[in-house]
Amino acid sequence: MPSLKDLRNRIASVKATQKITKAMQMVAAAKLRRAQTAAEAARPYAERMSSVLGNLASGIVVGPETPRLLAGTGSDRVHLLIVCTAERGLCGAFNSSIARLARDHANRLMAEGKTVKIICVGKKGYDILRRQFAQQIIELIDLRSVRQLGFEQGDMIAQKVLARFEAGEFDVATLFYSRFRSVIAQIPTAQQIIPAQIEASGTSSDAVYDYEPEEGEILATLLPRNLTVQIFRALLENAASEQGARMSAMDSATRNAGEMIKKQTMTYNRSRQAMITKELIEIISGAEAL
Amino acid sequence: MATFNFELVSPERVLFSGDVDAVVLPATEGDMTVLAGHAPTMTALKTGFLVITSNPGNGRRILVRGGFADINQNGLTVLAERALPAEELTQETLDHEILQAEMAYDATNDPAAKHAAESAVAQLREAKAALNF
């Protein structure tokens, strides 16, 4: 049976923890609003980009002239996984669910005899994947110093990926991130970005386009741009998902702390009552004995 | 005057969406004006001012840095890499843009990229002069 003093200390410490989780929840809620607006504002650009690309690519016959970003290298031996996670923990299953999706993917590819390379964006994913894939991880991109996610970060990552692609280091690239559905639902997603996945547009394929400059030239500049946009979008979706996950995780932590405080206070009051009763009995029986 | 649907989107946000009379685009092969019923065209953009006219004599200028314009029967869509409305431009932001373009010029050895960066710097300087900074 813990003493009264122990119980008092325990309650005080749980209360302090509850204050922290509550503050974190509120901070996450404020950040979520900003991240969500940013993610939603970026969606039109990515959508227009893929429809423009779809228009353009639907008129092109894949041949030796086609950019490799669209047609692929002709093999699928080496796979690159770009795993985007958060820089901080304490956000529920957010990081581990993305990492699990990437791990399953990597295991499946390795079972098929393919070579797997991993680029981690965000430290938490690196920490999880490092245990199993220490040899496969070729780079860790740290965004911790970044306060406001901008297009530059997406561009920076895309340039790194492109440099590796042009050096022939991999054939297929897949992006792992968490899509933001709502505060309580974030969906870990795998998206193939190289070779580009083009959604066929059925609307305006019959119209004859004028191209300025050449069609191939436009496609050659549009494809790397598309890569940047997709990565940028993944980063924004991830940022919103992270804050959403943290908010709900901290909400339930606050609730759990509340429950614990209630239970501890009950025990504290019971044992205090028991002590008083015991002392009373001692006094009364002492008086009776006289 | 016939109008058409115009959308200007940058990676961060949608800057303009609505019906307009005419849009002047800073295309890589020279400035071009898009009116309603324009033939389907896809063009790359360089650095320069994009001018939107929604009612006569009332233009809106937006500085764009690179991107693409897609003209089809549904209207005009501009995907700008960076877009800054003229009313939000200040001397500092413009100087910052010039500095970035100059850095891009110094960073590359590819003649085509060097030429593009050079013309971007020239365009930005011109914009600065036009806005009386």
Side-chain angles (χ1 to χ4, degrees):
Chain A
M1 189 71 193
S3 74
L4 282 183
K5 187 156 185 282
D6 285 345
L7 281 171
R8 250 197 321 266
N9 285 343
R10 222 177 274 172
I11 292 169
S13 96
V14 177
K15 269 188 182 153
T17 311
Q18 191 190 30
K19 262 186 203 138
I20 295 170
T21 57
K22 190 145 198 190
M24 281 182 78
Q25 187 211 337
M26 253 132 53
V27 170
K31 281 189 179 164
L32 170 70
R33 202 162 314 132
R34 199 143 31 99
Q36 197 177 349
T37 346
E40 274 160 12
R43 270 178 198 161
Y45 190 84
E47 277 159 18
R48 295 309 184 304
M49 180 65 106
S50 58
S51 77
V52 167
L53 204 55
N55 273 350
L56 198 56
S58 60
I60 282 181
V61 185
V62 174
E65 296 282 289
T66 325
R68 291 195 309 159
L69 278 173
L70 182 64
T73 55
S75 91
D76 62 342
R77 217 176 45 75
V78 186
H79 285 249
L80 179 75
L81 313 186
I82 306 161
V83 185
C84 302
T85 52
E87 293 291 351
R88 276 172 249 274
L90 289 179
C91 43
F94 174 75
N95 288 316
S96 53
S97 61
I98 297 175
R100 187 176 336 115
L101 187 71
R103 190 168 54 218
D104 292 348
H105 196 83
N107 283 335
R108 199 171 55 244
L109 287 172
M110 288 204 293
E112 287 170 15
K114 308 255 163 68
T115 313
V116 172
K117 291 179 180 174
I118 299 175
I119 290 182
C120 288
V121 181
K123 194 170 155 295
K124 282 292 158 189
Y126 174 71
D127 286 344
I128 301 170
L129 292 173
R130 176 172 60 176
R131 265 172 263 151
Q132 198 185 340
F133 300 108
Q135 278 100 49
Q136 277 81 8
I137 295 177
I138 49 174
E139 196 168 353
L140 164 65
I141 297 169
D142 199 331
L143 297 178
R144 199 177 322 183
S145 51
V146 178
R147 310 206 69 194
Q148 177 80 46
L149 269 178
F151 198 59
E152 299 86 57
Q153 277 83 41
D155 202 36
M156 185 260 292
I157 297 171
Q159 293 311 327
K160 286 185 179 181
V161 173
L162 274 177
R164 286 181 188 280
F165 184 68
E166 262 142 37
E169 286 188 35
F170 63 90
D171 303 310
V172 180
T174 314
L175 188 63
F176 289 87
Y177 66 100
S178 193
R179 209 145 46 81
F180 182 81
R181 170 74 70 75
S182 73
V183 179
I184 44 164
Q186 297 91 30
I187 306 146
T189 313
Q191 184 193 357
Q192 186 184 318
I193 50 173
I194 298 175
Q197 298 260 324
I198 306 294
E199 32 192 290
S201 64
T203 47
S204 57
S205 50
D206 51 335
V208 182
Y209 261 93
D210 283 341
Y211 292 99
E212 226 183 278
E214 289 290 299
E215 199 168 337
E217 221 171 293
I218 287 198
L219 198 60
T221 37
L222 201 57
L223 283 167
R225 190 76 52 81
N226 180 52
L227 189 70
T228 308
V229 169
Q230 298 302 339
I231 292 177
F232 176 57
R233 185 189 183 185
L235 289 180
L236 287 176
E237 294 268 336
N238 235 11
S241 301
E242 179 197 344
Q243 298 305 339
R246 174 163 303 127
M247 197 175 119
S248 47
M250 285 303 122
D251 184 46
S252 56
T254 310
R255 221 164 324 121
N256 287 346
E259 257 167 46
M260 194 176 269
I261 291 171
K262 222 173 178 180
K263 224 188 280 170
Q264 299 274 21
T265 316
M266 185 86 90
T267 331
Y268 173 77
N269 286 342
R270 283 246 172 84
S271 48
R272 193 174 62 98
Q273 194 65 55
M275 198 105 101
I276 294 168
T277 318
K278 202 177 90 197
E279 276 171 13
L280 273 178
I281 290 171
E282 274 166 11
I283 293 168
I284 292 165
S285 50
E288 266 177 8
L290 284 177
Chain B
M1 194 170 168
T3 58
F4 63 101
N5 186 39
F6 169 58
E7 267 182 353
L8 173 61
V9 283
S10 79
E12 278 95 7
R13 60 192 165 140
V14 178
L15 277 118
F16 188 96
S17 177
D19 287 336
V20 294
D21 287 334
V23 177
V24 181
L25 297 174
T28 44
E29 323 265 280
D31 285 9
M32 62 190 269
T33 307
V34 180
L35 298 168
H38 198 286
T41 306
M42 163 102 53
T43 177
L45 302 180
K46 60 179 184 188
T47 304
F49 275 110
L50 184 151
V51 185
I52 306 167
T53 319
S54 43
N55 37 40
N58 182 7
R60 216 180 138 205
R61 290 189 297 175
I62 295 173
L63 184 68
V64 293
R65 284 197 51 194
F68 293 91
D70 178 18
I71 307 162
N72 55 32
Q73 62 268 52
N74 304 324
L76 167 63
T77 309
V78 173
L79 301 169
E81 199 158 309
R82 274 174 78 58
L84 300 160
E87 44 295 2
E88 286 176 24
L89 275 178
T90 61
Q91 188 161 0
E92 288 90 70
T93 53
L94 213 49
D95 282 341
H96 181 70
E97 294 288 318
I98 291 176
L99 192 68
Q100 275 193 335
E102 280 172 345
M103 269 158 62
Y105 177 76
D106 289 337
T108 172
N109 281 319
D110 177 32
K114 225 163 171 76
H115 178 71
E118 197 179 357
S119 70
V121 172
Q123 285 287 338
L124 286 166
R125 290 246 163 80
E126 216 169 272
K128 197 175 161 181
L131 290 164
N132 299 323
F133 283 143

